[in-house]
Each structure stands twice: as structure tokens, then as C-alpha cells.
């Protein structure tokens, strides 16, 4: 299931706040509505919000092209700032906006219409690249899993969080295709229940065995010897290998280390942010209290109680067995090897 697609000058977003009960695509033609959709997690997941923002800049450029040349660039910059600020943790969002604005600058002399066309081409390229990188991540990751693996995952790092294949769930898809998956245990992932609502829905659609558990069950399953590997996605990977991901990921990493279970992070290299030296420098989104005090719109905690709602946490590099990327598996020392991977990529691309 594609979380988004572009058709005849409009961006269609699968509204993930309605899943699994309703499959409904929003048709958006105003970039401001894409900003709002990212903020309320109608579209979510680091790669998916990056590509959504890339298309939103096409919408912004289409709108701005009706203005004077000077206003065109002012409006495009304004849209880029609004999109980049929609959610602070997933680096793919800022990476996608920066990449689009570089494309716009390269076509500046050709005028607004040419810029619009170039932005649309680049957004399509990013969407296609994402599926290719996910499939490569899947292949590298599947090779790491034992046969009849019982894998625990957290949140949703699947086709719904990307452009159609998935990072952590991409590894699970590839391993399943190779007959290597006995069971996937999906953490419900409070408070927004991406695991209960999205991961189970995705895997059931494809006949991949999945069992839903509460977040607090993960440790007990590990203690019972029923988990062979943990595999999660990422929203930002710092230069030293620290990983920001959905809240609860750090807890799983500590539990996995205690029980000597491999803990893998699956992410495209666009999630690696070498400008952020370590995890404590990653901006962690804190969302509204009502997401904790309510569930499905129903109040579950008494009026007046305070709540903290961190959307992400940071897992230190030393708790991570390996990071699976589209360029291969990065083993410890993660910081040093991430830099080597990046250097090799720059040399390949002639940067
Ligand atoms: C493939 S990135 C998925 C990543 O994004 C999720 O966060 P959110 O649902 O708030 O966008 C979660 O951290 C996943 O691991």
C-alpha cells in the first residue's frame, strides 16, 4: 500500500490516522495542507514525510509561479521553511527540502515554470530511489536473520513509513520471501499505536505472520527466549551512530543487550546526519499531552493529570549490533564506519 502518490498536479496522501479501519486518500493541492498532514501524522515515517515535503514544494512552486519573479522565490523559501519545521526529529524531512531547494537553485535562470518541472522530476526520483534503497536494505538485512526467526519490531517502519517497501519491515518482507520468518512480534507502540494499527495491518495484508503485543510485553518475551532479533527503523542517526527512533526503542535496546539478542537498525543513508555529532544533539519532538491522556479520542486519564509525550528517544551506538543501510551493513565502531561509508559514497558520486 502506497502512503502517497502524485497525479495531475496534486499530492494524494493515505490518511494514516484513519487506519486500519478506513483507507482514505487525501487530495492535496496546497503545501500548507501537507504541513498540517505531517504534523498530525496523516503521513508519517521519516522517508515518507521527506518525499511528501518534496512534492509539497512542487505545489508551492505551482502556486508561487502565478506571482512576480521576486515573489516566486520568497514564497518558495517560505514554503521550504514551513515544511522543514513541520517535525524536528526526522532528518529526512530537512534533507528532502534542502535537496529540492538545490534543484530549484540550479534551474533559477530558466524561470518558474522550469523550476516547477524540475522539482516534480526530483520528487519522483526521490520516491523511486526510496523503494530501491528499501529493497537493498531488505536484502542486506534478511541475510543477517536466522532461519525461522522470531523478530520483534517497534512502531511502523514499513511501506506506510516510506514509499512502499519499508526499512525494518523491508528486512522482514525480504526475510519472509526467503522463508526465514517464523513470527513477527509487533509492539503496539503507545501512544499513537503505529504498531497495533499500522504494522499489523501491513503484515496481515501480505500473509506475514504477526502477533501484536503490548509495549510492556517485549522484555518478558525476550526473557522467555522467544525473540531471536529486534529490528527497528530510525528517524535520525548521529555521526557517532546514536539513533533517534520512536519512543520505546531505547528500552528495547537495553533489554536486548541484557538478553544478548541482536538489535538492528534499518535505515537509508539519507537518515544519517553527519552534521549532528551525537544523540544528545538530536532535537526530540515532544507532542501534546492529550495523545497520552486520551486513546482513540476517549479520555483514559483523570482530568487535571499532567503528561509527558516524547515522540522519540535516543539509543546509544554501543547498544546497536549493526545499522543496515542500502550500501551494506555498518558494524561497530559505528561512527567511524558511518564516516567511511559516507566518504565512499561521496567519492562514488564525485562530490
Ligand atoms: C522508516 S522511518 C519510520 C520511523 O518513523 C516513526 O515515527 P512516526 O510514526 O512518529 O513518524 C518511527 O520512529 C519509525 O521507526
Amino acid at each position: 500500500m502506497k502512503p502517497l502518490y502524485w497525479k495531475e498536479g496534486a499530492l494524494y496522501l493515505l490518511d494514516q490516522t484513519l487506519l486500519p479501519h478506513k483507507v482514505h486518500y487525501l487530495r492535496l493541492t496546497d503545501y500548507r495542507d501537507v504541513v498540517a498532514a505531517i504534523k498530525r501524522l496523516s503521513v508519517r515515517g521519516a522517508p515518507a514525510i521527506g518525499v511528501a515535503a518534496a512534492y509539497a514544494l512542487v505545489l508551492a512552486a505551482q502556486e508561487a509561479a502565478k506571482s512576480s519573479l521576486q515573489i516566486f522565490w520568497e514564497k518558495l523559501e517560505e514554503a521550504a521553511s514551513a515544511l522543514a519545521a513541520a517535525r524536528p526529529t526526522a532528518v529526512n524531512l530537512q534533507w528532502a527540502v534542502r535537496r529540492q531547494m538545490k534543484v530549484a537553485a540550479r534551474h533559477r535562470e530558466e524561470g518558474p515554470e522550469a523550476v516547477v518541472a524540475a522539482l516534480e522530476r526530483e520528487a519522483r526520483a526521490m520516491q523511486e530511489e526510496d523503494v530501491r534503497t528499501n529493497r537493498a536494505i531488505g536484502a542486506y538485512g534478511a541475510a543477517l536473520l536466522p532461519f525461522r526467526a522470531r523478530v520483534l519490531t517497534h512502531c511502523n517502519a514499513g511501506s506506510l513509513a516510506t514509499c512502499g517497501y519499508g526499512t525494518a519491515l523491508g528486512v522482514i518482507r525480504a526475510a519472509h520471501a526467503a522463508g526465514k520468518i517464523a513470527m513477527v512480534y509487533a509492539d503496539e507502540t503507545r501512544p499513537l499505536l503505529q504498531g497495533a494499527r499500522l504494522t499489523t495491518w501491513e503484515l496481515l495484508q501480505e500473509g506475514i505472520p504477526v502477533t501484536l503485543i503490548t509495549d510492556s510485553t517485549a522484555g518478558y518475551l525476550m526473557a522467555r527466549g522467544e525473540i531471536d532479533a529486534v529490528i527497528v527503523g530510525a528517524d535520525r542517526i548521529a555521526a557517532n551512530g546514536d539513533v533517534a527512533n520512536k519512543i520505546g526503542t531505547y528500552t528495547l535496546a537495553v533489554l536486548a543487550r541484557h538478553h544478548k539478542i541482536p538489535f538492528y537498525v534499518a535505515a537509508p543513508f539519507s537518515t544519517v546526519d553527519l552534521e549532528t555529532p551525537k544523540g544528545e544533539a538530536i532535537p526530540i519532538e515532544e507532542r501534546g499531552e492529550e495523545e497520552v491522556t486520551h486513546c482513540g479520542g476517549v479520555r483514559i486519564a483523570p482530568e487535571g493529570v499532567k503528561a509527558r509525550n516524547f515522540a522519540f528517544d535516543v539509543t546509544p551506538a554501543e547498544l546497536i549490533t549493526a545499522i543496515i543501510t542500502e550500501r551494506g551493513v555498518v558494524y561497530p565502531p559505528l561512527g567511524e564506519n558511518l564516516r567511511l561509508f559516507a566518504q565512499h559514497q561521496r567519492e562514488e558520486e564525485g562530490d
Side-chain angles (χ1 to χ4, degrees), residues 5 22 31 45-46 51 118 138 159 185 195 224 243 255 258 290 347:
Y5 64 91
K22 186 176 181 185
Y31 81 87
V51 175
S159 60
Y185 289 99
R224 289 165 58 96
V243 169
L255 285 164
H258 177 73
E290 71 286 349
E347 286 163 3

Side-chain angles (χ1 to χ4, degrees), residues 258-302:
H258 177 73
H259 292 289
K260 299 181 175 54
I261 296 169
F263 183 88
Y264 297 118
V265 172
F269 222 79
S270 54
T271 305
V272 175
D273 175 13
L274 296 177
E275 304 304 313
T276 297
K278 50 190 173 182
E280 64 193 45
I282 298 174
I284 297 298
E285 179 185 6
E286 195 163 355
R287 296 179 61 87
E289 297 178 79
E290 71 286 349
E291 293 179 353
V292 178
T293 57
H294 292 66
C295 189
V298 176
R299 173 173 281 281
I300 55 174

Side-chain angles (χ1 to χ4, degrees), residues 4 15 39 71 87 92 104 115 127 129 205 211 234 248 302 330:
L4 60 92
D15 188 345
K39 285 182 175 177
I71 301 292
R87 291 184 77 191
N92 305 62
V115 170
Q127 186 175 6
E129 277 169 30
Q205 301 254 328
T211 298
V330 184

Side-chain angles (χ1 to χ4, degrees), residues 32-312:
R32 301 166 190 81
D33 294 333
V34 182
V35 172
I38 291 170
K39 285 182 175 177
R40 68 170 180 267
L41 280 75
S42 285
V43 57
R44 41 140 310 270
I49 62 178
V51 175
Y55 277 118
L57 278 170
V58 183
L59 296 175
Q62 284 174 338
E63 175 191 317
K66 298 168 188 161
S67 313
S68 69
L69 195 54
Q70 183 187 336
I71 301 292
F72 172 82
W73 289 102
E74 286 172 13
K75 283 191 166 192
L76 195 59
E77 289 289 352
E78 184 182 322
S81 300
L83 286 158
R87 291 184 77 191
T89 305
V91 71
N92 305 62
L93 180 56
Q94 293 83 23
W95 168 83
V97 169
R98 271 201 308 275
R99 176 167 162 177
Q100 283 290 62
M101 292 310 282
K102 283 180 185 173
V103 166
R106 280 205 298 272
H107 294 269
R108 189 182 189 101
E109 300 310 314
E110 300 160 44
E113 293 308 319
V115 170
V116 171
L119 289 173
E120 183 176 338
R121 287 194 300 272
E122 193 71 9
R124 286 186 192 284
M126 292 164 82
Q127 186 175 6
E128 291 159 7
E129 277 169 30
D130 182 74
V131 176
R132 285 198 303 275
T133 56
N134 282 195
R135 288 186 178 280
I137 291 167
Y140 282 118
L144 301 177
L145 296 179
F147 275 93
R148 308 307 298 149
R150 297 157 302 172
V151 179
L152 173 68
T153 193
H154 191 67
C155 197
N156 172 261
S159 60
L160 294 171
T162 60
C163 291
Y165 190 73
T167 53
L169 294 196
V171 172
I172 287 168
R173 281 189 168 89
H176 175 69
K180 298 181 83 173
I181 296 291
M183 183 54 70
V184 177
Y185 289 99
D187 275 351
E188 62 179 348
T189 315
R190 282 272 300 155
L192 295 182
L193 303 175
Q194 288 91 326
R197 296 185 301 110
L198 308 178
T199 293
T200 56
W201 184 77
E202 263 196 57
L203 297 182
L204 285 174
Q205 301 254 328
E206 295 178 34
I208 298 175
V210 58
T211 298
L212 175 62
I213 59 172
T214 64
D215 296 324
S216 43
T217 300
Y220 184 53
L221 277 182
M222 293 186 201
R224 289 165 58 96
E226 297 187 33
I227 302 296
D228 300 306
V230 180
I231 185 156
V232 297
D235 290 82
R236 189 181 303 224
I237 301 172
N240 70 342
D242 293 347
V243 169
N245 195 53
K246 184 53 53 195
I247 190 78
T249 303
Y250 169 57
T251 311
L252 291 177
V254 172
L255 285 164
R257 177 53 52 90
H258 177 73
H259 292 289
K260 299 181 175 54
I261 296 169
F263 183 88
Y264 297 118
V265 172
F269 222 79
S270 54
T271 305
V272 175
D273 175 13
L274 296 177
E275 304 304 313
T276 297
K278 50 190 173 182
E280 64 193 45
I282 298 174
I284 297 298
E285 179 185 6
E286 195 163 355
R287 296 179 61 87
E289 297 178 79
E290 71 286 349
E291 293 179 353
V292 178
T293 57
H294 292 66
C295 189
V298 176
R299 173 173 281 281
I300 55 174
E303 288 279 357
V305 68
K306 299 294 289 172
R308 296 297 297 273
N309 183 14
F310 298 105
F312 302 98

Side-chain angles (χ1 to χ4, degrees), residues 279-349:
E280 64 193 45
I282 298 174
I284 297 298
E285 179 185 6
E286 195 163 355
R287 296 179 61 87
E289 297 178 79
E290 71 286 349
E291 293 179 353
V292 178
T293 57
H294 292 66
C295 189
V298 176
R299 173 173 281 281
I300 55 174
E303 288 279 357
V305 68
K306 299 294 289 172
R308 296 297 297 273
N309 183 14
F310 298 105
F312 302 98
D313 59 23
V314 175
T315 298
E318 57 265 26
L319 293 179
I320 297 169
T321 307
I323 297 175
I324 307 160
T325 78
E326 70 275 26
R327 310 186 66 78
V329 181
V330 184
Y331 289 100
L334 293 181
E336 185 179 323
N337 287 325
L338 284 171
R339 277 189 294 279
L340 286 173
F341 266 61
Q343 182 184 326
H344 181 65
Q345 183 166 358
R346 279 195 298 273
E347 286 163 3
E348 272 198 331
E349 290 167 359

